[in-house]
Amino acid sequence: MSTLIVPPLLSSPRDDAMHLYRAFKGFGTDTSAVINILAHRDAAQRALIQHEYRALYAEDLLKRLTSELTGKLETAVLLWMHDLPGRDAIIVRQALIADILNLETATEVICSRTSSQIQVFKQHYYAKFGVHLEHDIELRASGDHKKLLLAYVSTPRYEGREVDRNMAEKDAKALYKAGEKRLGTDEKTFIRVFSERSAAHLAAVDSAYHSMYGNSLKKAIKKETSGHFEHALKTILQCSENPAKYFVKVSFFIFKLFDLVFSASSGSRGNFFFFFSHEVKYGMQAIHVLKAH
């Protein structure tokens, strides 16, 4: 789950809308005021603010934010205004239909989500864009990477922590036979196991694989696969073992990129960092925003 610190004493959504309107008035936008309000409101509260803003000023708040903000801060704020599945839908859609295809971003969002999260974000995807997620994956991805993504977004997976250890050992053996034991790789076996098994089960498979063959499953994936297919498998595996560690590790690179991207403006750097410091889970999205221009 994403984390957000909400002040104990909140102004009403109507007051927030009025404060935002005042922040937009005059010469230049008071970006600190915008951030101090929106970055401390959860999704439900932000939705109420949008409703009150439209009621008070007959204007869409998202459109006003678009006209008032610029650059990376604009992108960050607009993404933040959506709830989590809506944000996933927007980012994946943008990654798949961009002139320069960004399969890395689409892969990281899809493969770091649980089965239930994917089903909700698929509904948002269709509602927002009038096309099924599977259609865009079919159109833009290719090869084994496409097969894995299509299987991963369409297959229900158990989300509990119980694990059948015997089955985990059988899957470890199957993956070994499909990869390191043979000449060439049986990608179908990797796709089946990684798209059908629960996160807890995959973590157990990795442990069994290491015990049985003295090598980590991650290293086997790196040895036996490549490209976007490799990246998808590793993302699924890493999130199954420790999703919090994965998101923190990915988010770490944001800090390395700040000075490169925002060296000319400490204010912009601070504003952008403040927004994403509240949403570590979406660190990879911040990274791709930073890389985009």
Side-chain angles (χ1 to χ4, degrees):
M1 296 294 291
S2 59
T3 58
L4 174 65
I5 299 173
V6 179
L9 297 176
L10 288 176
S11 55
S12 69
R14 177 170 287 258
D15 285 340
D16 283 341
M18 295 171 66
H19 289 315
L20 286 171
Y21 184 77
R22 285 196 288 269
F24 300 145
K25 301 297 287 184
F27 182 74
T29 301
D30 186 350
T31 55
S32 294
V34 173
I35 290 172
N36 285 333
I37 294 170
L38 297 179
H40 293 95
R41 305 296 185 269
D42 62 25
Q45 291 162 343
R46 295 193 300 272
L48 290 173
I49 293 170
Q50 290 185 68
H51 175 78
E52 291 294 341
Y53 192 91
R54 180 180 289 278
L56 286 169
Y57 306 112
E59 181 181 30
D60 183 74
L61 178 56
L62 293 181
K63 290 183 179 179
R64 187 60 186 266
L65 288 168
T66 300
S67 67
E68 295 291 338
L69 304 176
T70 60
K72 314 301 182 195
L73 180 60
E74 176 192 351
T75 304
V77 172
L78 291 177
L79 284 175
W80 177 248
M81 291 301 293
H82 295 277
D83 58 12
L84 302 187
R87 195 177 314 162
D88 280 349
I90 291 170
I91 290 173
V92 171
R93 173 69 171 179
Q94 290 175 345
L96 292 177
I97 68 169
D99 291 336
I100 300 178
L101 187 61
N102 194 341
L103 286 173
E104 182 180 0
T105 296
T107 297
E108 287 185 344
V109 173
I110 292 170
C111 294
S112 62
R113 302 298 183 260
T114 66
S115 179
S116 59
Q117 288 172 334
I118 288 174
Q119 296 314 307
V120 176
F121 121 64
K122 282 170 60 178
Q123 295 172 8
H124 280 252
Y125 197 95
Y126 184 78
K128 288 179 181 295
F129 308 116
V131 63
H132 292 289
L133 173 62
E134 292 88 341
H135 173 272
D136 283 346
I137 292 174
E138 181 75 40
L139 194 64
R140 303 295 276 172
S142 62
D144 294 313
H145 177 237
K146 176 172 72 174
K147 293 175 184 177
L148 176 58
L149 290 185
L150 288 173
Y152 198 74
V153 302
S154 61
T155 305
R157 286 176 293 280
Y158 173 64
E159 295 181 21
R161 302 307 301 170
E162 293 80 6
V163 173
D164 184 333
R165 299 293 173 180
N166 291 329
M167 181 62 70
E169 290 182 0
K170 288 181 180 179
D171 281 342
K173 291 178 182 178
L175 290 171
Y176 181 72
K177 291 179 181 179
E180 292 187 290
K181 188 177 180 179
R182 56 176 287 169
L183 181 64
T185 304
D186 176 11
E187 291 85 359
K188 290 182 179 179
T189 298
F190 279 85
I191 292 171
R192 175 181 59 81
V193 173
F194 277 74
S195 66
E196 295 179 1
R197 303 299 189 248
S198 71
H201 183 91
L202 282 178
V205 171
D206 185 35
S207 178
Y209 195 98
H210 188 274
S211 297
M212 296 165 68
Y213 306 112
N215 193 19
S216 71
L217 188 52
K218 181 180 178 181
K219 289 182 178 179
I221 291 170
K222 185 175 181 180
K223 178 181 176 181
E224 296 297 325
T225 64
S226 62
H228 294 303
F229 183 51
E230 175 192 351
H231 183 57
L233 291 172
K234 289 198 296 187
T235 300
I236 294 169
L237 181 62
Q238 290 169 335
C239 288
S240 73
E241 295 171 334
N242 191 334
K245 181 179 178 180
Y246 170 76
F247 290 119
V248 168
K249 180 179 178 180
V250 175
S251 298
F252 171 78
F253 291 97
I254 299 173
F255 309 137
K256 295 294 186 181
L257 290 170
F258 277 141
D259 286 334
L260 294 176
V261 177
F262 295 117
S263 58
S265 172
S266 60
S268 295
R269 179 171 63 246
N271 287 341
F272 186 84
F273 171 76
F274 185 81
F275 240 90
F276 276 100
S277 69
H278 290 289
E279 187 83 352
V280 172
K281 181 175 180 179
Y282 284 83
M284 85 285 287
Q285 298 172 0
I287 290 171
H288 293 294
V289 167
L290 288 166
K291 289 179 177 179
H293 299 288

